[in-house]
Amino acid sequence: MVCLGGFSGLSAQTHSKPLPAEQEIQLSYGADRLGKRQDAAMKRFRDNRLGAFVHWGLYAIPGGEWNGKVYPGAAEWLKAWADVPSGEWLKLMDRWNPQKFDARKWARMAREMGVKYVKITTKHHEGFCLWPSKYTKNTVEYTPYKKDILGELVKAYNDEGIDVHFYFSVMDWSHPDYRSSIKTEEDEKAFMRFLEFTDNQLKELASRYPTVKDFWFDGTWDASIKENGWWTAHVEKMLKELLPGVTVNSRLRADDFGKRHFDSNGHLMGDYESGYERRLPDPVKDLKVTRWDWEACMTLPENQWGYHKDWSLSYVKNPVEVIERIVHAVSMGGNMAVNFGPQPDGDFRREEKLMAEAVGKWMKKYGECVYGCDYAGWKKQSWGYYTRKGRSVYMVVFNPPYSGNLTVNVPQGIKITGAVMTGKGENLKVTETARNEYNVGMPVSDPGEPFVVRLQVEETSGSSDKYRDALT
Ligand code: H76
């Protein structure tokens, strides 16, 4: 049932060029739309830009350690690393009693960090549900804590104006009917029962928590699921009928031929691409990502999503590195979800609290270069990244050059008429240095942190439509 080959699912976002329309293959379960969704719900998803991911489940209790041995792999996969049978793993439920859990505190922390949405693991691969599902006993209801964690979180985040997204693993290591591959008629029958069980759980989530804005599917890489692409199309349709406007990630989807994320004609399935896990597209070479919506997600250590007690096992990113990844994603038209793995007692580890605080402080000052922003269409410079919102183009400076001159190459027909430090209002010196090239001077005193310059931009009469589009 454990499919470690599953990690290959992460590289499935490889994208082949779409075929000329007349050569396209007829698909029953391929993309049902070309190009980005432009409705209000999708715009909101996109404009939010910064989100948090929360991985919380039974795996937080052992925190990467089983029978005295600490496993360096991802803590939420410990059941697989230590080869723990389901019956034994689920005994952790007797110890699920997070006395420090306070949903309102979590929501305040998210607000302080400046995230506009939170993606919560409703059920990870282990099969333990954070809501009292009536379709299984592996839920919070049958723990000493008893209460509906998911319900409390949805309410608390929504009360703070934060959108809630649901992470849901289709692969379920604790369900007797789950199959990673189908070899016999018996397997087939069991797996069809499992798909029905999954439909029921999803319908249950949609009706119990109707404010949910997004479903982010994971654990969809096994052969059994790829061979049933029809079911992934059905789930997308079912959720959209139940919850108008809801968004669904590409990772859910497989087409008639088991092709994932992008269908056999090269068109994105689902509403946004979701393969950038712990990595980002190259800012120069991978501009194709600006043609569709996408969301990346990142961990602070190299690869820990659930709580792991030993963070000395790998490098841990500092707040500036987190901020740089957020801006990098936005500069290429993507979202970023920064992960948290709460402790078994319901509190957050110190490192995560400090990170959230530092990111929040920066976002308060400079967040206008993130929220509602998009790819600017300007040539990348080594000092950092561009983002844009309507007529404002932002320079987000991470590496000021030794010269103190920030080079800006503008597209044909664009003129820079001013440059202002975001947060401070200081005007920066702008010098035209060549055709379509400017130098923007550094602020007088060193900001001591990544900083943001808002460019005032004008179009001259010779401006091509292409760049007019980039500015409106
Ligand atoms: C592999 C894998 C899973 N996908 C990430 C988002 C985590 O949930 C990890 O366990």
Side-chain angles (χ1 to χ4, degrees), residues 7 55 76-77 124-125 167 216 218 221 251 277 305:
F7 283 109
H55 275 71
E76 74 284 359
W77 279 71
H124 204 265
H125 310 334
Y167 165 106
W216 198 94
D218 197 14
W221 45 71
R251 199 179 293 198
E277 185 171 313
W305 300 86

mmCIF file of all heavy atoms in Angstrom, residues 7 55 76-77 124-125 167 216 218 221 251 277 305, ligand 1:
data_model
loop_
_atom_site.group_PDB
_atom_site.id
_atom_site.type_symbol
_atom_site.label_atom_id
_atom_site.label_comp_id
_atom_site.label_asym_id
_atom_site.label_seq_id
_atom_site.Cartn_x
_atom_site.Cartn_y
_atom_site.Cartn_z
ATOM 1 N N PHE A 7 6.877 9.228 -5.161
ATOM 2 C CA PHE A 7 7.529 10.527 -5.250
ATOM 3 C C PHE A 7 7.679 10.989 -6.691
ATOM 4 O O PHE A 7 7.817 12.156 -6.964
ATOM 5 C CB PHE A 7 8.895 10.484 -4.564
ATOM 6 C CG PHE A 7 8.773 10.528 -3.081
ATOM 7 C CD1 PHE A 7 9.047 9.413 -2.324
ATOM 8 C CD2 PHE A 7 8.344 11.678 -2.444
ATOM 9 C CE1 PHE A 7 8.920 9.455 -0.945
ATOM 10 C CE2 PHE A 7 8.207 11.725 -1.068
ATOM 11 C CZ PHE A 7 8.498 10.612 -0.314
ATOM 12 N N HIS A 55 0.363 20.857 8.231
ATOM 13 C CA HIS A 55 0.367 19.390 8.272
ATOM 14 C C HIS A 55 0.229 18.951 9.711
ATOM 15 O O HIS A 55 1.159 19.100 10.502
ATOM 16 C CB HIS A 55 1.669 18.833 7.677
ATOM 17 C CG HIS A 55 1.637 18.699 6.190
ATOM 18 N ND1 HIS A 55 1.657 19.772 5.340
ATOM 19 C CD2 HIS A 55 1.580 17.587 5.389
ATOM 20 C CE1 HIS A 55 1.623 19.336 4.076
ATOM 21 N NE2 HIS A 55 1.573 18.025 4.081
ATOM 22 N N GLU A 76 5.881 12.833 8.436
ATOM 23 C CA GLU A 76 4.527 12.336 8.145
ATOM 24 C C GLU A 76 4.557 11.018 7.368
ATOM 25 O O GLU A 76 3.520 10.405 7.157
ATOM 26 C CB GLU A 76 3.707 13.418 7.430
ATOM 27 C CG GLU A 76 4.057 13.687 5.978
ATOM 28 C CD GLU A 76 5.336 14.507 5.776
ATOM 29 O OE1 GLU A 76 5.970 14.894 6.774
ATOM 30 O OE2 GLU A 76 5.718 14.732 4.613
ATOM 31 N N TRP A 77 5.771 10.588 6.975
ATOM 32 C CA TRP A 77 5.937 9.297 6.308
ATOM 33 C C TRP A 77 6.519 8.246 7.253
ATOM 34 O O TRP A 77 6.878 7.154 6.817
ATOM 35 C CB TRP A 77 6.843 9.444 5.072
ATOM 36 C CG TRP A 77 6.129 9.965 3.864
ATOM 37 C CD1 TRP A 77 5.670 11.226 3.661
ATOM 38 C CD2 TRP A 77 5.791 9.217 2.669
ATOM 39 N NE1 TRP A 77 5.065 11.313 2.423
ATOM 40 C CE2 TRP A 77 5.129 10.109 1.800
ATOM 41 C CE3 TRP A 77 5.997 7.888 2.256
ATOM 42 C CZ2 TRP A 77 4.661 9.707 0.540
ATOM 43 C CZ3 TRP A 77 5.531 7.505 1.003
ATOM 44 C CH2 TRP A 77 4.868 8.415 0.158
ATOM 45 N N HIS A 124 -4.161 12.961 5.934
ATOM 46 C CA HIS A 124 -2.911 12.669 5.211
ATOM 47 C C HIS A 124 -2.873 11.183 4.883
ATOM 48 O O HIS A 124 -3.831 10.458 5.143
ATOM 49 C CB HIS A 124 -1.691 13.138 6.027
ATOM 50 C CG HIS A 124 -0.483 13.404 5.172
ATOM 51 N ND1 HIS A 124 0.503 12.464 4.963
ATOM 52 C CD2 HIS A 124 -0.127 14.490 4.424
ATOM 53 C CE1 HIS A 124 1.413 12.974 4.136
ATOM 54 N NE2 HIS A 124 1.056 14.196 3.798
ATOM 55 N N HIS A 125 -1.764 10.714 4.317
ATOM 56 C CA HIS A 125 -1.681 9.321 3.866
ATOM 57 C C HIS A 125 -2.034 8.315 4.959
ATOM 58 O O HIS A 125 -2.588 7.251 4.693
ATOM 59 C CB HIS A 125 -0.272 8.993 3.349
ATOM 60 C CG HIS A 125 0.276 9.978 2.354
ATOM 61 N ND1 HIS A 125 -0.515 10.752 1.551
ATOM 62 C CD2 HIS A 125 1.559 10.297 2.033
ATOM 63 C CE1 HIS A 125 0.245 11.514 0.773
ATOM 64 N NE2 HIS A 125 1.518 11.264 1.052
ATOM 65 N N TYR A 167 -6.455 20.229 2.187
ATOM 66 C CA TYR A 167 -5.555 19.193 1.651
ATOM 67 C C TYR A 167 -6.264 17.873 1.878
ATOM 68 O O TYR A 167 -6.822 17.636 2.962
ATOM 69 C CB TYR A 167 -4.232 19.217 2.409
ATOM 70 C CG TYR A 167 -3.358 17.976 2.194
ATOM 71 C CD1 TYR A 167 -2.208 18.038 1.393
ATOM 72 C CD2 TYR A 167 -3.670 16.759 2.791
ATOM 73 C CE1 TYR A 167 -1.414 16.913 1.199
ATOM 74 C CE2 TYR A 167 -2.888 15.633 2.592
ATOM 75 C CZ TYR A 167 -1.767 15.712 1.801
ATOM 76 O OH TYR A 167 -0.985 14.602 1.612
ATOM 77 N N TRP A 216 -7.016 20.588 -2.336
ATOM 78 C CA TRP A 216 -5.664 20.303 -2.830
ATOM 79 C C TRP A 216 -5.435 18.804 -2.627
ATOM 80 O O TRP A 216 -5.245 18.343 -1.496
ATOM 81 C CB TRP A 216 -4.652 21.115 -2.037
ATOM 82 C CG TRP A 216 -3.297 21.282 -2.635
ATOM 83 C CD1 TRP A 216 -2.861 22.332 -3.413
ATOM 84 C CD2 TRP A 216 -2.145 20.422 -2.467
ATOM 85 N NE1 TRP A 216 -1.536 22.161 -3.735
ATOM 86 C CE2 TRP A 216 -1.074 21.008 -3.179
ATOM 87 C CE3 TRP A 216 -1.914 19.216 -1.800
ATOM 88 C CZ2 TRP A 216 0.201 20.444 -3.235
ATOM 89 C CZ3 TRP A 216 -0.652 18.638 -1.866
ATOM 90 C CH2 TRP A 216 0.393 19.250 -2.578
ATOM 91 N N ASP A 218 -3.631 15.116 -2.935
ATOM 92 C CA ASP A 218 -2.295 14.531 -2.886
ATOM 93 C C ASP A 218 -2.485 13.019 -2.875
ATOM 94 O O ASP A 218 -3.603 12.510 -2.737
ATOM 95 C CB ASP A 218 -1.593 15.013 -1.598
ATOM 96 C CG ASP A 218 -0.082 14.821 -1.632
ATOM 97 O OD1 ASP A 218 0.473 14.571 -2.727
ATOM 98 O OD2 ASP A 218 0.551 14.925 -0.554
ATOM 99 N N TRP A 221 -0.807 9.370 -7.146
ATOM 100 C CA TRP A 221 0.154 8.916 -8.156
ATOM 101 C C TRP A 221 0.128 7.416 -8.409
ATOM 102 O O TRP A 221 0.758 6.932 -9.336
ATOM 103 C CB TRP A 221 1.562 9.342 -7.743
ATOM 104 C CG TRP A 221 1.835 9.070 -6.270
ATOM 105 C CD1 TRP A 221 2.002 7.862 -5.674
ATOM 106 C CD2 TRP A 221 1.945 10.049 -5.224
ATOM 107 N NE1 TRP A 221 2.211 8.012 -4.326
ATOM 108 C CE2 TRP A 221 2.188 9.343 -4.027
ATOM 109 C CE3 TRP A 221 1.871 11.446 -5.205
ATOM 110 C CZ2 TRP A 221 2.354 9.983 -2.795
ATOM 111 C CZ3 TRP A 221 2.051 12.085 -3.975
ATOM 112 C CH2 TRP A 221 2.282 11.362 -2.787
ATOM 113 N N ARG A 251 -3.006 18.225 -9.367
ATOM 114 C CA ARG A 251 -2.494 16.933 -8.897
ATOM 115 C C ARG A 251 -3.590 15.884 -8.739
ATOM 116 O O ARG A 251 -3.311 14.688 -8.690
ATOM 117 C CB ARG A 251 -1.732 17.120 -7.579
ATOM 118 C CG ARG A 251 -0.802 15.961 -7.249
ATOM 119 C CD ARG A 251 -0.043 16.166 -5.962
ATOM 120 N NE ARG A 251 0.925 17.259 -6.056
ATOM 121 C CZ ARG A 251 1.938 17.426 -5.209
ATOM 122 N NH1 ARG A 251 2.119 16.567 -4.218
ATOM 123 N NH2 ARG A 251 2.746 18.449 -5.333
ATOM 124 N N GLU A 277 6.693 21.617 -5.662
ATOM 125 C CA GLU A 277 6.779 21.269 -4.248
ATOM 126 C C GLU A 277 8.259 21.306 -3.861
ATOM 127 O O GLU A 277 9.058 20.565 -4.428
ATOM 128 C CB GLU A 277 6.191 19.864 -4.072
ATOM 129 C CG GLU A 277 6.105 19.417 -2.645
ATOM 130 C CD GLU A 277 5.306 18.117 -2.517
ATOM 131 O OE1 GLU A 277 4.224 17.994 -3.101
ATOM 132 O OE2 GLU A 277 5.815 17.206 -1.832
ATOM 133 N N TRP A 305 7.256 18.060 6.607
ATOM 134 C CA TRP A 305 5.936 18.711 6.562
ATOM 135 C C TRP A 305 5.252 18.557 7.920
ATOM 136 O O TRP A 305 4.848 19.524 8.545
ATOM 137 C CB TRP A 305 5.086 18.102 5.443
ATOM 138 C CG TRP A 305 5.703 18.258 4.089
ATOM 139 C CD1 TRP A 305 6.626 17.433 3.502
ATOM 140 C CD2 TRP A 305 5.480 19.336 3.146
ATOM 141 N NE1 TRP A 305 6.970 17.927 2.254
ATOM 142 C CE2 TRP A 305 6.278 19.080 2.015
ATOM 143 C CE3 TRP A 305 4.674 20.478 3.145
ATOM 144 C CZ2 TRP A 305 6.293 19.930 0.899
ATOM 145 C CZ3 TRP A 305 4.681 21.320 2.042
ATOM 146 C CH2 TRP A 305 5.488 21.041 0.935
HETATM 147 C C1 H76 B 1 5.228 13.010 -1.029
HETATM 148 C C2 H76 B 1 4.487 13.725 -0.400
HETATM 149 C C3 H76 B 1 3.572 14.555 0.360
HETATM 150 N N1 H76 B 1 3.235 15.800 -0.357
HETATM 151 C C4 H76 B 1 3.580 16.913 0.475
HETATM 152 C C5 H76 B 1 2.704 18.132 0.234
HETATM 153 C C6 H76 B 1 3.518 16.351 1.855
HETATM 154 O O1 H76 B 1 2.181 16.153 2.252
HETATM 155 C C7 H76 B 1 4.232 15.054 1.631
HETATM 156 O O2 H76 B 1 4.062 14.149 2.691
#
